[in-house]
Amino acid sequence: MAHSFLSIENLTQRFASGKGEDLTVFEDASFGIEKGEFVCILGHSGCGKSTIMNILAGLAEPTSGVVLMDGKEVSGPSLDRGVVFQNYSLMPWLSALKNVTFAVAARYPRWSKAKVVEHSTQYLAMVGLQGDAIHRKPAQLSGGMRQRVSIARAFANHPKLLLLDEPFGALDALTRGTIQDELLKIWGGTEQTVFMITHDVDEAILLADRILLMTNGPYARVAESVEITIPRPRKREEIIEHPNYYLIRNHLLHFLGTRSKVLSGQRTGQGSNRPQTIRLDRMEETATESEDPAQATSLRAVNE
Amino acid sequence: MQQLSTNQRALVLSFLLLVGGLFLWEAAIPAQKAASELTEYEKLTGAGAPKAGVPPPSQVLVKAWEQLSDPFYDAGPNDKGIGIQVAYSLYRVLTGYFLAALIAIPVGFLIGMSPVAYKALNPFIQVLRPISPLAWMPLALFIIQDSNASAIFVIFICSIWPMLINTAFGVAGVRKDWINVARTHELGPVKTALTVILPAAAPTIVTGMRISIGIAWLVIVAAEMLVGGTGIGYYVWNEWNNLDLTSVIFSILVIGVVGMALDAAFGAVQRAVAYAE
Ligand SMILES: Nc1ncnc2c1ncn2[C@@H]1O[C@H](COP(=O)(O)OP(=O)(O)OP(=O)(O)O)[C@@H](O)[C@H]1O
Ligand SMILES: [Mg+2]
C-alpha cells in the first residue's frame, strides 16, 4: 500500500477545544488511493471528512502523520490537487467567468488571454452555464449555479488529483445527473484520480470504484473500504438492475445507520488502522463478509 | 402628493425647509438689531455698528454671487478670491492625505497579515490615535519650521489612523476560504495580496479612506486658522477679524459644500469596490 499513488499514513487530527481535553477528530487513519481511481468517502456530518480533504489538499497540517502523493510528501497546496470546496469559495467580486479564468490563468500562465477565456467558457458550458449568466457575480447566481462555477473552476485545471467536497449538494436531481456524467467523462478520458465526499449513497455507487466508510467522531476511523463490483460504463437507470446494487447499497446504509455509531470511539490503539476491504459480489457468491447486510431491516436513510 | 416617489417628496420637503429656514433667518435679523441698539456698552465699543450684525441671507447671497463670479482674483496677501483659498486648503489636505495613504495602506496590510505585528503595534496606535491632531501643531512648527508644511503634517497625522486601522482590520478579516483558493492555485504572496486580499478588503479600506478625508477636511480649517497666510480656514478667521460676517457665513457654506463633494467622491469609490457576498 505504500506504493499507492496517494498514501495516507497514520493521520491524526486534534483540535484544541479551549477548555481541558483536546478534540480528536480522527486518529491513525491510514489508507491508499491508486492512480486513476475514483474514491468516495461516506460518513456522518462532523466525522472529519472535510478535515481529511483539507489535509490532502495541503491546506491544513495534520497533528501527526503524512500524506504522500507520487511518493512525495504533501507539504502545501499545489495546482496538481484541485479542490471543489464545500462552500464553493468563489470570489464575490469577480464574475462567474472571471472566477474560472482566474484559476486557468494561474494554471497555464503562458496561454493568451483569449485562450484562457475560451477554455474557461467551454468548462462553464460543460456544467450548463452559458450566455448572460457567466458574466454575473456569485451573489446574483443561485446556490446551484455557484456550485457549478466552482466545479468548472476545478475541472478546467486538469489537476492530477481532484478533491471534491460534496460537489453536487446544492443541485437538483436533473443537473446533478448531467454533471455527474460530465465528471465521469472528464475522469474517464484522463489519468485523473478523484477523491470525493458525498452524503448520497446512490451517487457514490454510481461514481466510485471504491467507497471509504467513516465511523462517527470523535476518534473517527476509516473503517471499511467497499469495492463497487458493478462494471463500467454504468448507467443511472441500469445499475439498479444489477444484482450487486442492493447488496452494496444495503451494506452502506447499514453501516451508516447502525455500525458507524457502534464502531465509533473504538480506539484500536497504536499501529496500522487500515480499513477492512469489503467485496460484495453475487456473481462470485463468496462475499468476504459473512454477515448478510440485506437482512438488516432497520435501515435508516441518511440523506433526507 | 401621493403620486410622487419617495425621492421626489424628499426633494420637495428639502426645498420647503430651505425656503422656510431662510425666511425665518431673514425675518429674525431686524429684531436682533433693535435689541442690541439698547445696550449702552455695545454702543461704546462699537459692536452695535451695522456691519457687525448677523447679516440676512439676502446679503449672503449677494456676497456669494460676487465671490463666485470672480473666485480666483488675487489682490495681495489679505485679499484673495475664495477659489484660491479653497485651492490652497485642498492642496494641503490632499498632500497630507495621500502621504498618509502611502504609509497607512501598506503598513495596514502588513499589520493585518501578521497577528504579531498587529499585537505589537496596537498599543502605539491606541495611544496616538485619540490625540487631537492640532496638539501636534507646536511640535510640528518647531521641528519643521515651516507653517505650510506643518499644516500638511497635521493633516497627515489625522488622516493616517482611520486608514491604518481599517486597512489592518479589512485585511485581517479576509475570509480564509479565499486565501485557500489562492493557495491551491499556487499564487505567490504579492499576487495573492493584489488579486485576492486587496479586492476582498477594498470596501473596508475605502471606508477608512472616506472617514480620513472627512476628518482631514474638518482639521484643515482649524489648522489654517492657527498657521495663517492662506487657505479657507485663514479666510474665515481673517474675515472675522474684519468683522465681515457676511463673508464668514459665505465661507462656512463653502466649507460645507467642498466637504460634501469630497465625501461624495469617496462614496462613489466605495460603491465601485463594494461586493455582495
Ligand atoms: N478549525 C477547527 N477547530 C476546531 N474544531 C474543528 C475545526 N475544524 C473542524 N473541527 C471539528 O472537526 C470535526 C470534523 O469537521 P469536518 O468539517 O471535517 O466534518 P465533515 O465530516 O466534513 O462534516 P460535514 O459532512 O458536515 O461537512 C467537527 O467536529 C468540527 O467541529
Ligand atoms: Mg464537510
Side-chain angles (χ1 to χ4, degrees):
Chain A
M1 281 292 250
H3 303 294
S4 296
F5 167 66
L6 189 72
S7 90
I8 287 91
E9 307 287 343
N10 300 321
L11 219 55
T12 301
Q13 182 68 59
R14 281 182 244 281
F15 289 113
S17 67
K19 48 177 189 256
E21 214 183 318
D22 289 352
L23 168 72
T24 302
V25 184
F26 45 82
E27 199 172 42
D28 282 328
S30 304
F31 57 93
I33 296 177
E34 301 306 322
K35 193 166 185 75
E37 219 181 356
F38 196 128
V39 174
C40 283
I41 188 161
L42 282 172
H44 283 285
S45 180
C47 68
K49 305 180 296 294
S50 298
T51 308
I52 289 190
M53 212 180 79
N54 276 333
I55 296 169
L56 297 187
L59 291 168
E61 287 260 319
T63 310
S64 66
V66 286
V67 175
L68 301 170
M69 181 161 123
D70 269 339
K72 282 191 291 283
E73 189 176 336
V74 167
S75 58
S78 146
L79 280 163
D80 285 337
R81 275 165 272 126
V83 189
V84 173
F85 293 93
Q86 190 165 12
N87 53 9
Y88 327 141
S89 296
L90 299 176
M91 314 282 180
W93 57 89
L94 296 178
S95 68
L97 178 62
K98 290 255 172 64
N99 263 290
V100 181
T101 55
F102 166 89
V104 175
R107 171 88 212 196
Y108 303 104
R110 293 221 185 78
W111 282 12
S112 71
K113 214 175 161 218
K115 186 160 187 206
V116 168
V117 170
E118 189 202 314
H119 184 79
S120 307
T121 318
Q122 183 196 332
Y123 273 83
L124 281 165
M126 201 180 269
V127 295
L129 290 174
Q130 272 155 321
D132 170 51
I134 66 172
H135 298 294
R136 276 188 252 155
K137 303 261 169 80
Q140 297 152 335
L141 298 172
S142 73
M145 290 162 110
R146 274 179 239 172
Q147 194 159 41
R148 284 184 270 160
V149 176
S150 133
I151 292 166
R153 179 173 69 185
F155 288 9
N157 273 7
H158 309 300
K160 282 189 197 161
L161 174 64
L162 256 177
L163 298 164
L164 313 174
D165 197 342
E166 291 183 44
F168 311 131
L171 303 181
D172 62 285
L174 205 64
T175 322
R176 180 185 275 244
T178 321
I179 300 182
Q180 283 169 347
D181 293 343
E182 287 300 339
L183 171 58
L184 284 177
K185 220 184 284 166
I186 293 169
W187 169 73
T190 57
E191 278 280 74
Q192 272 177 328
T193 308
V194 179
F195 180 82
M196 171 166 150
I197 299 173
T198 175
H199 279 147
D200 185 334
V201 173
D202 297 298
E203 174 176 88
I205 299 175
L206 174 70
L207 298 174
D209 292 319
R210 211 143 56 79
I211 297 176
L212 298 174
L213 292 171
M214 265 183 105
T215 63
N216 294 356
Y219 294 102
R221 296 194 295 126
V222 180
E224 292 184 0
S225 158
V226 180
E227 289 182 24
I228 308 302
T229 47
I230 300 175
R232 293 182 194 271
R234 301 174 191 153
K235 288 241 166 59
R236 196 177 326 282
E237 316 80 43
E238 287 167 16
I239 55 166
I240 47 174
E241 312 283 342
H242 195 276
N244 290 345
Y245 185 78
Y246 279 99
L247 202 61
I248 295 169
R249 189 174 196 276
N250 287 344
H251 180 85
L252 299 177
L253 288 178
H254 181 56
F255 182 93
L256 292 172
T258 321
R259 292 183 34 244
S260 63
K261 248 173 270 148
V262 176
L263 293 173
S264 92
Q266 287 182 10
R267 303 170 66 174
T268 48
Q270 288 307 109
S272 172
N273 214 344
R274 294 193 181 274
Q276 187 191 353
T277 302
I278 308 285
R279 185 178 166 83
L280 299 166
D281 196 343
R282 276 269 156 79
M283 308 302 195
E284 292 175 9
E285 287 293 23
T286 47
T288 35
E289 225 202 4
S290 49
E291 171 195 6
D292 185 359
Q295 281 180 353
T297 44
S298 62
L299 295 178
R300 278 223 246 140
V302 281
N303 317 290
E304 273 90 323
Chain B
M1 276 301 248
Q2 266 80 354
Q3 278 92 329
L4 297 177
S5 75
T6 315
N7 280 347
Q8 287 168 324
R9 276 188 281 169
L11 203 68
V12 170
L13 187 58
S14 292
F15 184 73
L16 290 179
L17 283 172
L18 179 68
V19 171
L22 289 178
F23 180 79
L24 280 179
W25 177 6
E26 186 87 48
I29 303 302
Q32 219 170 24
K33 261 184 189 165
S36 65
E37 263 167 40
L38 292 175
T39 34
E40 199 64 20
Y41 176 74
E42 272 182 356
K43 272 186 194 161
L44 284 172
T45 53
K51 214 188 169 193
V54 175
S58 51
Q59 219 170 308
V60 176
L61 281 175
V62 171
K63 183 85 193 174
W65 179 254
E66 221 173 78
Q67 283 285 342
L68 292 177
S69 52
D70 184 15
F72 297 107
Y73 77 89
D74 189 351
N78 280 335
D79 192 10
K80 291 191 201 325
I82 190 85
I84 291 185
Q85 304 290 23
V86 168
Y88 270 112
S89 298
L90 278 178
Y91 153 72
R92 290 185 184 119
V93 162
L94 294 180
T95 310
Y97 178 83
F98 280 110
L99 287 176
L102 224 55
I103 291 179
I105 293 173
V107 173
F109 236 85
L110 293 179
I111 297 178
M113 301 239 258
S114 146
V116 178
Y118 200 117
K119 288 216 166 100
L121 286 174
N122 198 37
F124 297 106
I125 295 173
Q126 295 308 330
V127 170
L128 293 173
R129 191 175 57 115
I131 298 171
S132 163
L134 294 169
W136 293 96
M137 188 62 98
L139 201 61
L141 283 169
F142 177 76
I143 294 172
I144 306 174
Q145 306 249 322
D146 176 74
S147 64
N148 187 44
S150 298
I152 291 172
F153 173 77
V154 167
I155 294 303
F156 168 83
I157 208 85
C158 77
S159 18
I160 202 164
W161 309 118
M163 287 196 269
L164 186 68
I165 291 166
N166 267 45
T167 306
F169 187 76
V171 168
V174 172
R175 288 226 335 242
K176 196 85 202 300
D177 300 334
W178 302 330
I179 310 275
N180 279 346
V181 170
R183 290 177 65 204
T184 54
H185 291 93
E186 292 185 25
L187 298 190
V190 176
K191 200 115 194 263
T192 304
L194 292 180
T195 59
V196 179
I197 299 175
L198 189 61
T204 322
I205 296 175
V206 174
T207 303
M209 296 177 80
R210 193 175 178 183
I211 297 171
S212 277
I213 199 79
I215 294 177
W217 189 245
L218 288 180
V219 167
I220 193 65
V221 175
E224 285 171 345
M225 282 179 177
L226 282 174
V227 296
T230 47
I232 189 77
Y234 168 73
Y235 180 83
V236 176
W237 199 248
N238 194 38
E239 296 305 331
W240 158 242
N241 284 336
N242 295 340
L243 283 178
D244 182 356
L245 284 179
T246 317
S247 291
V248 169
I249 292 173
F250 167 65
S251 49
I252 286 173
L253 290 176
V254 169
I255 292 170
V257 170
V258 174
M260 187 178 78
L262 287 173
D263 188 65
F266 278 86
V269 178
Q270 212 170 20
R271 277 191 298 282
V273 298
Y275 57 83
E277 273 192 49

